[in-house]
């Protein structure tokens, strides 16, 4: 592991300060903290005390670091280190992102049209990246979706604890189902009706997986109110026109230069 990030900027600067537990962010196997490292705010995730030293859980946190360390996507919170923190033990370290979770916004009736737009585009982009990289992950739910404080960008937290050789149709369908649930909850908390998005969400959460969108590409088309058959018809029509032009140019009726 590259430890260059652990080199202090000056010998008199304390490395870790203002370590604070964030109970509202705790996960099933982890406690979550915020802290400053050489004055920069970061978030830390470490095993719950009762799980420390248990081989299967120690392996679990190491694997999560390995899987997530090389991820790079603007709408997924990135991991930047895995190191020993005094009083906490080994911690996964991420950038500290200020903002509100979608769950909080829904609860406080603060969902806006801009949030809906970002669920329509940025969340789908993140899911596409997750599936492209075959990441095994916790279900996407409102509490794992964060909107940053100043810009309002969407960020997914706690993404990827293992990596598969491929994803199955069932994996893809479950992601689409969870997306539909998130979208529907958000739509229920905003004043604008969004009939198209409600129709998309309803199809996503259909109890019959065969009646949902088959993949992210089809979901994108539906969210944009486009259908793949329309695209195919356009392509076919374009090709027919081009073939007609070519036949005409090679026919006796083609225009003759100079005449």
């Amino acid at each position: 592991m590259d430890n260059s990030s652990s080199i202090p900027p000056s010998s008199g600067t304390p490395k870790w300060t203002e370590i604070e537990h964030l109970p509202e962010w705790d996960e099933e196997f982890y406690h979550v903290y915020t802290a400053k490292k050489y004055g920069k705010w970061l978030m830390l995730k470490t095993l719950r005390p009762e799980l420390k030293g248990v081989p299967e859980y120690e392996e679990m946190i190491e694997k999560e670091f390995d899987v997530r360390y090389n991820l790079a996507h603007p709408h997924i919170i990135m991991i930047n280190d895995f190191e020993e923190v005094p009083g906490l033990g080994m911690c996964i370290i991420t950038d500290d992102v200020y903002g509100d979770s979608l769950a909080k916004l829904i609860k406080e009736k603060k969902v806006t049209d801009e949030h809906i737009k970002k669920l329509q585009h940025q969340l789908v982009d993140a899911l596409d990246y997750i599936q492209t990289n075959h990441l095994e992950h916790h279900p996407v739910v409102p509490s794992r979706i964060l909107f940053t404080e100043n810009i309002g960008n969407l960020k997914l937290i706690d993404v990827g604890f293992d990596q598969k050789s491929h994803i199955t149709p069932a994996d893809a369908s479950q992601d689409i189902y969870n997306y539909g649930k998130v979208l529907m909850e958000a739509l229920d908390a905003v004043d604008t009706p969004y009939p198209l998005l409600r129709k998309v969400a309803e199809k996503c959460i259909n109890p019959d997986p065969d009646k949902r969108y088959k993949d992210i590409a089809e979901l994108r088309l539906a969210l944009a109110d486009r259908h793949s058959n329309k695209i195919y018809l356009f392509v076919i029509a374009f090709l027919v026109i081009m073939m007609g032009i070519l036949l005409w140019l090679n026919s006796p009726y083609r225009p003759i230069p100079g005449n």
Side-chain angles (χ1 to χ4, degrees):
M1 184 188 302
D2 180 8
N3 292 318
S4 59
S5 61
S6 300
I7 299 173
S10 69
S11 57
T13 304
K15 185 173 183 179
W16 292 104
T17 57
E18 301 185 48
I19 299 173
E20 180 183 352
H21 184 206
L22 302 175
E24 67 274 19
W25 291 95
D26 282 350
E27 302 169 18
E28 182 179 4
F29 304 110
Y30 302 109
H31 280 173
V32 178
Y33 296 79
T34 186
K36 283 184 177 180
K37 180 179 180 182
Y38 299 128
K40 177 184 177 182
W41 283 107
L42 299 168
M43 292 190 79
L44 318 175
K45 183 163 81 168
T46 188
L47 289 171
R48 291 176 176 266
E50 66 271 20
L51 303 180
K52 291 183 184 296
V54 180
E56 63 180 289
Y57 294 107
E58 296 287 354
E59 291 173 10
M60 180 183 70
I61 191 171
E62 289 179 16
K63 177 177 278 189
E64 181 167 339
F65 169 75
D66 289 340
V67 168
R68 294 179 60 188
Y69 183 66
N70 290 315
L71 299 182
H73 191 276
H75 304 306
I76 295 176
I77 292 179
M78 301 292 101
I79 281 177
N80 56 43
D81 215 340
F82 183 52
E83 66 174 276
E84 184 87 21
V85 177
L88 299 182
M90 293 301 293
C91 295
I92 289 175
I93 301 167
T94 71
D95 289 335
D96 193 5
V97 181
Y98 293 98
D100 293 321
S101 70
L102 178 59
K104 181 180 179 182
L105 294 170
I106 290 172
K107 183 179 179 180
E108 297 179 356
K109 302 294 184 183
K110 292 182 178 178
V111 179
T112 67
D113 293 335
E114 191 63 24
H115 293 131
I116 298 297
K117 180 180 178 182
K118 287 172 180 176
L119 291 172
Q120 185 179 356
H121 300 289
Q122 295 180 355
L123 181 55
V124 175
D125 288 345
L127 285 173
D128 193 8
Y129 181 83
I130 287 168
Q131 291 193 359
T132 299
N133 287 275
H134 309 152
L135 298 176
E136 192 169 356
H137 59 93
H138 299 292
V140 174
V141 294
S143 61
R144 292 192 172 103
I145 299 169
L146 189 74
F147 290 96
T148 58
E149 187 175 49
N150 295 322
I151 303 175
N153 277 337
L154 182 149
K155 296 278 188 179
L156 269 181
I157 64 173
D158 192 26
V159 172
F161 56 82
D162 203 351
Q163 194 164 25
K164 303 178 179 182
S165 58
H166 67 282
I167 62 167
T168 66
D171 294 329
S173 183
Q174 189 62 47
D175 279 343
I176 288 171
Y177 176 82
N178 292 332
Y179 174 81
K181 286 185 66 178
V182 166
L183 182 58
M184 188 65 81
E185 285 188 55
L187 290 172
D188 287 341
V190 74
D191 292 332
T192 308
Y194 289 109
L196 170 66
L197 296 187
R198 282 192 175 275
K199 183 179 178 181
V200 170
E202 286 169 359
K203 183 167 181 175
C204 288
I205 61 177
N206 193 301
D208 183 354
D210 292 336
K211 294 180 180 179
R212 299 173 195 159
Y213 300 104
K214 69 178 185 295
D215 53 32
I216 295 293
E218 190 174 50
L219 174 60
R220 281 188 194 278
L221 288 173
L223 288 167
D225 197 19
R226 292 180 291 153
H227 300 284
S228 55
N229 60 330
K230 290 182 181 179
I231 294 175
Y232 295 144
L233 288 173
F234 174 80
V235 171
I236 291 170
F238 176 77
L239 291 174
V240 168
I241 292 170
M242 293 303 295
M243 288 179 65
I245 292 172
L246 288 173
L247 289 172
W248 178 64
L249 290 174
N250 286 284
S251 73
Y253 305 103
R254 70 185 185 278
I256 301 173
N259 289 344

